[in-house]
Amino acid sequence: MGRPNMVEVRSLNAAYGQSKVLFDIELNIKPNERVAIVGRNGAGKTTLLKCMASLLTPTTGSVIYEGTELVGKRSYEVARMGLKYIDQDKHVFLDLTVRENLELSSYATGDYNWDKVFKHFPKLKILIDRKGAFLSGGERQMLMIGRAILGDPKVLLIDEPTEGLAPSIVDDLVTTFHELSKDCAILTVGQNLSFVSRVAERVYAMKEGKLVAEITDEAEIKNNSYSHYL
Ligand SMILES: Nc1ncnc2c1ncn2[C@@H]1O[C@H](COP(=O)(O)OP(=O)(O)OP(=O)(O)O)[C@@H](O)[C@H]1O
Ligand SMILES: [Mg+2]
């Protein structure tokens, strides 16, 4: 309580052509907070994150980040301002090694904090000469997050981080999320309620393009007792 919001989404609506997908979304994130949005397939989670990262333009509404309007800015500008989106498809360059993948991001962003990447993901140092095509799903996820934290992001938007990952890798990601949030806020979306219960301090439930509930009670989050909203 009392802390100013780092991100505020206000009355945000989005559509693909004639098809409306998001309806009057109101959401906020405080510095260093770990927030999750849960919702079924097609609820609109990815669309919302992409609107926040300026990868999509909402039909109406605002995304305010540290007092600045992001709607209308280019996605690379938003990324440079410290708000980074990590997509759910775990896209890394398959023909490039881990090193080359990181180099490419460094060139693109001017961010060279590789030590920070290796601090959070020591395994990437071991895999530095391995091509993207030969990384496991968990290793690709490390590389995706690693690229995003090369600079000093203040907000990470992480789309379905646990999809397709083995339980032990998911356990590691729980620790990673807690560590990362010492330096930045995290908004994650997904359907893995057990993961959400272990990482989120606050949860929004999304159904058919609307945020239908906000859960702040720790016990409710731990017990996933909000699944009836979905
Ligand atoms: N490029 C697109 N063109 C048209 N419709 C789209 C497009 N992308 C998504 N949609 C539709 O918008 C709605 C919301 O999709 P979105 O991908 O945001 O949901 P999601 O909650 O991320 O789902 P998932 O859990 O499957 O990732 C769905 O009905 C989807 O079919
Ligand atoms: Mg999605």
Side-chain angles (χ1 to χ4, degrees):
M1 295 295 279
R3 278 187 297 163
N5 291 326
M6 174 155 252
V7 181
E8 283 180 19
V9 175
R10 297 182 191 153
S11 312
L12 187 138
N13 290 270
Y16 295 102
Q18 295 298 312
S19 152
K20 284 186 137 193
V21 172
L22 295 179
F23 302 86
D24 290 320
I25 300 294
E26 300 273 342
L27 165 154
N28 59 70
I29 314 170
K30 295 190 190 303
N32 301 89
E33 203 181 13
R34 294 183 305 278
V35 180
I37 303 173
V38 296
R40 297 187 178 188
N41 284 121
K45 305 179 297 294
T46 296
T47 305
L48 175 55
L49 293 196
K50 287 189 171 171
C51 285
M52 293 174 71
S54 273
L55 291 156
L56 287 173
T57 307
T59 38
T60 57
S62 264
V63 179
I64 308 290
Y65 166 66
E66 295 196 306
T68 303
E69 174 64 76
L70 296 186
V71 173
K73 290 201 184 297
R74 309 292 292 267
S75 56
Y76 69 85
E77 291 178 286
V78 171
R80 281 189 191 159
M81 289 167 72
L83 186 144
K84 304 246 174 153
Y85 171 68
I86 298 165
D87 77 55
Q88 78 185 93
D89 299 325
K90 302 186 179 56
H91 277 138
V92 302
F93 293 99
L94 301 178
D95 281 344
L96 302 184
T97 63
V98 168
R99 185 197 313 277
E100 290 162 341
N101 269 280
L102 289 173
E103 276 170 358
L104 215 55
S105 296
S106 284
Y107 291 141
T109 57
D111 295 326
Y112 289 88
N113 198 349
W114 289 41
D115 288 343
K116 182 170 168 192
V117 176
F118 297 140
K119 184 187 108 192
H120 286 287
F121 304 111
K123 185 137 188 228
L124 288 181
K125 204 167 189 175
I126 299 165
L127 298 170
I128 194 86
D129 291 314
R130 189 165 300 177
K131 285 196 172 177
F134 302 114
L135 299 177
S136 70
E139 290 159 358
R140 274 186 210 184
Q141 185 62 270
M142 289 177 207
L143 181 53
M144 297 282 297
I145 299 175
R147 290 194 306 204
I149 61 171
L150 275 168
D152 258 326
K154 293 183 187 164
V155 183
L156 293 175
L157 310 177
I158 312 185
D159 202 341
E160 305 271 4
T162 65
E163 212 173 25
L165 301 187
S168 68
I169 308 292
V170 174
D171 292 344
D172 292 343
L173 267 189
V174 171
T175 312
T176 301
F177 271 48
H178 282 264
E179 287 294 319
L180 288 172
S181 70
K182 290 177 185 165
D183 296 324
C184 68
I186 300 177
L187 174 64
T188 187
V189 309
Q191 305 192 47
N192 183 342
L193 299 190
S194 132
F195 178 72
V196 166
S197 72
R198 289 187 287 160
V199 299
E201 298 163 277
R202 203 151 56 80
V203 176
Y204 291 97
M206 181 179 258
K207 189 174 184 179
E208 294 164 4
K210 296 178 182 143
L211 292 182
V212 291
E214 180 188 351
I215 301 96
T216 53
D217 184 72
E218 207 179 324
E220 257 186 87
I221 294 173
K222 290 275 170 291
N223 306 328
N224 300 326
S225 50
Y226 50 85
S227 48
H228 59 279
Y229 290 116
L230 307 180

